[in-house]
């Protein structure tokens, strides 16, 4: 790999002054792109080496797959087909929540309670029709490169200790790194990290009453909140991190979350640290099981990936429209 810019370590970000502590504000040549800026043209070209079998996987669930889902507000869209004459068909969606199924969280999805939106973007710029931090940045210039899949579910099942999704088990950084070591995964700057936990398949297989019980419990397994995870994600120079669960992080936040005092509106979640401070997009509810099964048979855990959100000016998030090629 050639020509990759050097960025400060996370420990150095914490030493930034003037309200910039722990942020990547002002470090990228395209300020509103965030960590996808880690992906250079050379990295995209090198990602071609991850295509070995020519097998293609769509990583999005249907728009109405999570109906009901964990969200108490996001319902399924209503699809209508109409015709103006016998030879014509057209259609539209009503009530389409852009983050109701497989999605990417944009940089205006979260505001940091202590310092505001990414890059100090003014609050009054985050409204319909304004472009600042909008998802269209990644639609006009899609996020493409090398993705690595960490099979956390497979690792825990092999150990005879399945993930306890019903309890909303927190998945520690140590667990993620142990699974990576078992798979002999080495990451590179600009990688897209995908965590396969099995949560989506587990939740979708539940009956209506069980789904309602889980919804009411407000518990969902995911990455445990920690300063160590935030530092690792930045120092690894991940362009995007994604998982096949509801919020990427566990719900609720772990009792000892270091962000309970700084992210009070988010009850200690890491979203503010990752999105508003580092500019690191989050993928949630991704369809990773078919890809994981395939990779288990090949023993290869990387793929070429393309992520192209909907081109909606100023959207806070979007369906991921993610495609992996192995």
């Amino acid at each position: 790999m050639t020509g990759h810019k050097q960025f400060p370590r996370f420990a150095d970000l914490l030493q930034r002054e003037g309200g910039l502590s722990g942020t990547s504000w002002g470090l990228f040549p395209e300020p509103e792109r965030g960590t996808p800026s880690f992906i250079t043209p050379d990295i995209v070209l090198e990602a071609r080496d991850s295509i070995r079998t020519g097998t293609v996987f769509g990583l999005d669930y249907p728009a109405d797959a999570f109906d009901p889902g964990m969200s108490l507000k996001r319902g399924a869209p209503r699809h209508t087909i109409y015709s103006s004459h016998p030879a014509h068909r057209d259609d539209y969606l009503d009530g389409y929540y852009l983050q109701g199924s497989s999605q990417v969280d944009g940089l205006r999805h979260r505001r940091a309670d202590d310092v505001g939106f990414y890059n100090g973007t003014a609050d009054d710029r985050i409204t319909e029709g304004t472009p600042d931090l909008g998802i269209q940045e990644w639609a006009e210039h899609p996020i493409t490169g090398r993705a690595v899949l960490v099979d956390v579910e497979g690792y825990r099942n092999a150990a005879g200790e399945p993930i306890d999704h019903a309890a909303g088990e927190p998945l520690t950084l140590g667990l993620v790194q142990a699974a990576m070591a078992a798979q002999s995964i080495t990451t590179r700057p600009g990688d897209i990290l995908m965590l396969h936990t099995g949560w989506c398949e587990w939740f979708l297989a539940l009956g209506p009453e069980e789904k309602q019980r889980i919804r009411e419990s407000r518990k969902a397994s995911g990455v445990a909140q920690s300063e160590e995870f935030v530092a690792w994600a930045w120092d690894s120079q991940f362009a995007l991190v994604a998982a096949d669960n509801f919020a990427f992080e566990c719900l609720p936040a772990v009792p000892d979350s270091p962000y309970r005092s700084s992210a009070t509106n988010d009850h200690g979640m890491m979203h503010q640290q990752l999105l508003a401070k580092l500019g690191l997009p989050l993928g949630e509810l991704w369809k990773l099981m078919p890809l994981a099964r395939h990779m288990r048979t090949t023993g290869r855990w990387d793929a070429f990936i393309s992520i192209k959100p909907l081109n909606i000016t100023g959207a806070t998030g979007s369906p991921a429209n993610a495609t992996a090629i192995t």
Side-chain angles (χ1 to χ4, degrees), residues 135-307:
I135 205 77
Q136 77 283 343
E137 169 62 37
W138 303 328
E140 295 169 357
H141 303 283
I143 302 169
T144 59
R146 177 179 182 256
V148 294
L149 185 143
V150 183
D151 189 11
V152 182
E153 182 201 47
Y155 176 76
R156 284 286 295 271
N157 287 348
E161 300 174 352
I163 297 171
D164 189 350
H165 292 306
E169 181 179 346
L171 308 177
T172 65
L173 174 60
L175 171 60
V176 172
Q177 292 178 327
M180 292 175 67
Q183 296 171 238
S184 300
I185 289 177
T186 301
T187 64
R188 309 170 188 167
D191 277 352
I192 287 90
L193 178 74
M194 302 185 299
L195 304 179
H196 174 240
T197 71
W199 185 89
C200 282
E201 289 76 19
W202 171 82
F203 183 82
L204 291 173
L206 296 176
E209 293 183 0
E210 292 173 300
K211 283 182 180 177
Q212 185 60 32
R213 178 177 57 80
I214 295 299
R215 279 163 55 87
E216 292 174 354
S217 77
R218 310 310 302 151
K219 293 180 179 179
S221 53
V223 174
Q225 294 76 19
S226 70
E227 292 178 338
E228 291 76 16
F229 182 87
V230 173
W232 176 70
W234 172 262
D235 290 341
S236 299
Q237 295 188 18
F238 293 135
L240 181 149
V241 294
D244 60 341
N245 55 21
F246 174 60
F248 185 78
E249 311 177 47
C250 65
L251 290 177
V254 294
D256 61 348
S257 168
Y259 305 113
R260 287 201 172 275
S261 59
S262 63
T264 54
N265 280 306
D266 277 333
H267 309 289
M269 299 283 282
M270 292 187 295
H271 269 50
Q272 295 186 17
Q273 304 297 317
L274 299 172
L275 289 166
K277 293 190 175 183
L278 294 182
L280 175 61
L282 304 177
E284 297 163 345
L285 297 173
W286 283 24
K287 185 178 181 180
L288 298 180
M289 177 62 86
L291 178 61
R293 288 196 188 104
H294 170 77
M295 288 181 161
R296 288 169 188 166
T297 65
T298 65
R300 300 280 189 172
W301 298 99
D302 60 334
F304 186 92
I305 194 168
S306 170
I307 303 162

Side-chain angles (χ1 to χ4, degrees), residues 55-76:
T55 309
V56 181
F57 294 87
L59 305 183
D60 285 7
Y61 281 101
D64 61 353
F66 298 92
D67 181 29
M70 285 294 294
S71 174
L72 300 179
K73 294 183 178 180
R74 300 170 187 160

